[in-house]
Amino acid sequence: MPLPRLLMVITGDDFGYCSRRNQGIVDCFLAGGISNVSLLVNASAAKEAAGLAGRHKIPIGLHANLSEGTPVYQHLQQISTLVNPQGFFHGKMGFRQALEKGQLSMNQVELELRAQVRRFIELTGHLPHHMDGHQHVHVLPDVREVFAQVLSDVRIPFTRVPMEPGLHSCPWVPAHLHTFYMEVEKDALDSIPVFKHHGIRWPDVYLGLSTMGQNMSVSSLQRALKQALGTRTSNTISRRSPGLHQPVVTAELMVHPGYPSHPDEGGCGEGPDDFSQSAEREHELNMLRSPSVLELYCQEGVQLCGFRDL
């Protein structure tokens, strides 16, 4: 049995977060380091990002945001279960805590998701090629049902299912992050029947948690690719390469390239977070466009693409 080819979407998340993030993502795309971007429509530089995507013909999807900054839907910006007294979303963990306590209105979640889709269309002139969730909120209980219904209604065909093979055996991932990733994985697994019911698709393999920030290296990316190439799923995207009699595995690699944000510039209304201001973003950028990584893709038979090419 020949080794399968890997058709891989490399998605630069948080496009629009700030001008320095935008520039880093564009530089990475032009160097062949990413093949797709995910836009935060409530971020400070979202309009600039959409213009850059159009100018450089970068495949673009929606990074649905319910956890950072302010809502897009105007009526939810002041009195809403989705925001705190200051009018900001509850944060990555605050959103999850409020959800567990039953404090969030799923009707308001739906209104905000639909508003973000409309804003995306206003900015880009077309529907998102895919839609995922900032900080993985789209796979959370109750939210995933609303999220899937919105995608089905507006006919966005692809999403992200953040379950990374081999993540359990990555000792370099800090304990607190490993715990969070395991919770994300459980939520993602529970989301699969919901997404399938609504006819939503996703790549066979998801990668990126074990290679974030300082953990991105040639060796960690090679390990992730080996995990992907060894994966077999029943997902409907899997297919055989025409005329080659060779199985094709599809994958998404989530990445966060960019130049570090300035402390008073960017974000979604509250300023940039620590990760955005750190050197880890630029480390990812430099690794993704390095000749050694690009050569690795050639050696492993990896073909980069956007979601629209799956």
Side-chain angles (χ1 to χ4, degrees):
M1 173 73 75
L3 284 174
R5 290 175 59 250
L6 188 62
L7 193 61
M8 186 162 71
V9 180
I10 305 183
T11 302
D13 276 4
D14 306 334
F15 200 37
Y17 200 78
C18 69
S19 292
R20 286 175 61 79
R21 176 72 47 75
N22 290 349
Q23 188 59 57
I25 285 176
V26 169
D27 288 350
C28 198
F29 175 79
L30 295 177
I34 61 172
S35 58
N36 189 76
V37 293
S38 203
L39 178 67
L40 285 166
V41 295
N42 73 330
S44 63
K47 184 176 181 181
E48 176 193 76
L52 288 167
R55 187 182 315 156
H56 296 289
K57 296 181 171 53
I58 307 174
I60 186 169
L62 174 57
H63 205 41
N65 184 5
L66 299 173
S67 57
E68 183 178 358
T70 56
V72 167
Y73 193 72
Q74 189 172 3
H75 295 297
L76 299 179
Q77 292 176 357
Q78 294 180 343
I79 303 175
S80 165
T81 66
L82 302 185
V83 299
N84 62 24
Q86 290 72 46
F88 296 114
F89 286 132
H90 297 295
K92 180 170 76 172
M93 301 313 298
F95 183 89
R96 286 166 165 81
Q97 291 162 5
L99 181 66
E100 288 177 3
K101 295 176 182 177
Q103 296 173 344
L104 301 181
S105 163
M106 289 302 108
N107 179 59
Q108 292 175 355
V109 166
E110 180 176 353
L111 289 171
E112 178 60 20
L113 290 176
R114 292 185 185 278
Q116 291 192 20
V117 173
R118 290 194 297 272
R119 174 68 62 82
F120 182 97
I121 296 171
E122 291 168 4
L123 291 171
T124 66
H126 60 80
L127 273 171
H129 300 305
H130 66 98
M131 181 169 160
D132 55 43
H134 185 47
Q135 298 170 339
H136 310 295
V137 296
H138 67 299
V139 296
L140 289 169
D142 298 328
V143 176
R144 54 183 167 241
E145 284 82 7
V146 176
F147 180 86
Q149 187 63 60
V150 170
L151 264 65
S152 178
D153 288 349
V154 300
R155 299 187 178 181
I156 298 172
F158 291 105
T159 192
R160 169 185 291 169
V161 176
M163 296 173 54
E164 181 169 351
L167 188 61
H168 296 264
S169 57
C170 295
W172 58 87
V173 177
H176 71 285
L177 283 180
H178 192 272
T179 299
F180 177 69
Y181 293 162
M182 292 303 100
E183 293 171 356
V184 169
E185 183 176 277
K186 180 184 181 302
D187 290 330
L189 181 63
D190 291 340
S191 297
I192 288 176
V194 178
F195 293 161
K196 281 186 174 181
H197 174 74
H198 286 85
I200 299 163
R201 296 185 288 166
W202 58 92
D204 298 320
V205 187
Y206 166 82
L207 305 169
L209 295 176
S210 67
T211 56
M212 278 186 63
Q214 64 184 356
N215 292 326
M216 183 174 286
S217 64
V218 175
S219 60
S220 66
L221 286 169
Q222 185 173 37
R223 177 190 179 279
L225 295 179
K226 295 287 188 185
Q227 292 281 353
L229 288 165
T231 298
R232 296 290 185 275
T233 78
S234 59
N235 200 340
T236 55
I237 301 177
S238 291
R239 55 188 181 266
R240 288 187 175 272
S241 184
L244 295 180
H245 305 291
Q246 187 178 20
V248 176
V249 175
T250 60
E252 183 191 16
L253 172 62
M254 175 193 73
V255 297
H256 300 83
Y259 301 108
S261 301
H262 294 310
D264 57 349
E265 180 185 327
C268 302
E270 302 171 272
D273 61 21
D274 291 342
F275 184 30
S276 183
Q277 298 177 66
S278 76
E280 294 189 50
R281 297 280 187 170
E282 192 164 3
H283 172 74
E284 287 199 28
L285 168 61
N286 291 333
M287 286 303 308
L288 287 164
R289 61 182 177 177
S290 70
S292 54
V293 167
L294 300 179
E295 176 61 26
L296 173 65
Y297 297 153
C298 293
Q299 293 172 358
E300 299 292 348
V302 177
Q303 179 183 337
L304 303 191
C305 68
F307 276 97
R308 65 189 183 189
D309 303 312
L310 295 179

